[in-house]
């Protein structure tokens, strides 16, 4: 099972790297100064994804890994959680990402990211310690936003609602 996952992950990120990025991410003929090209981050994520897929493939071929856990035993992966509950959580996660896409244009990237992280923390069960979860949900998107906007001069959507309020 791990071998198939490794091959699928590697193939997916390879498809993105060699087919989708060259077609859908335009690369200008002139890039001024030290500005990164528009395809830098999609390529970086795709290469990292391929490396992780190859790592999973390599670890799945290892006899040590096969001796530790039987990959066919789905019960050991999900514990005592019933399958309908896991499918419901997956549905809520897909809905949260869809709402995130809609919220970015309305609330802006930063607020939408904070709300998405709160939703993901609730859905994964890490909401028990609320104060720590709230600090992480606010601080992590804020730090990433500040890093990318100031250090790399990346622009993020501000959102129509925030623009109307003058924020």
């Amino acid at each position: 099972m791990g071998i198939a996952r490794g091959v699928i992950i590697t193939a997916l990120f390879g498809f993105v790297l060699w087919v989708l990025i060259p077609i859908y991410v335009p690369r200008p003929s002139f890039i001024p100064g030290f500005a990164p090209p528009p395809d830098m981050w999609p390529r970086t994520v795709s290469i990292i994804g391929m490396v992780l897929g190859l790592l999973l493939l390599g670890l799945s071929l290892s006899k040590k890994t096969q001796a530790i856990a039987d990959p066919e035993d789905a019960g050991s992966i999900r514990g005592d959680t019933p399958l309908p509950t896991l499918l419901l959580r997956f549905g809520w996660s897909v809905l949260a990402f869809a709402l995130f896409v809609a919220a970015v244009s309305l609330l802006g990237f930063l607020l939408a990211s904070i709300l998405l992280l709160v939703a993901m923390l609730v859905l994964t069960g890490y909401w028990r310690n609320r104060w720590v979860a709230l600090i992480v949900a606010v601080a992590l998107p804020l730090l990433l936003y500040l890093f990318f906007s100031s250090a790399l001069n990346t622009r993020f959507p501000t959102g129509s609602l925030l623009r109307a309020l003058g924020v």
Side-chain angles (χ1 to χ4, degrees), residues 142-158:
L142 187 62
L143 289 173
L144 287 173
Y145 179 83
L146 290 174
F147 172 74
F148 279 100
S149 63
S150 62
L152 300 176
N153 201 19
T154 304
R155 305 243 185 254
F156 291 100
T158 54

Side-chain angles (χ1 to χ4, degrees), residues 69-132:
D70 183 15
E72 300 297 325
D73 184 17
S76 67
I77 296 172
R78 65 180 180 180
D80 294 332
T81 309
L83 185 61
T85 303
L86 293 175
L87 291 175
L88 183 64
R89 286 182 188 168
F90 175 73
W92 281 111
S93 298
V94 170
L95 179 65
F97 278 109
L99 290 174
F100 168 75
V101 171
V104 166
S105 63
L106 184 65
L107 300 174
F109 181 79
L110 183 59
L111 287 177
S113 297
I114 290 171
L115 292 174
L116 176 67
L117 191 51
V118 167
M120 289 299 121
L121 289 172
V122 168
L123 287 172
T124 55
Y126 289 108
W127 193 249
R128 289 182 192 102
N129 194 350
R130 286 187 172 87
W131 288 111
V132 173

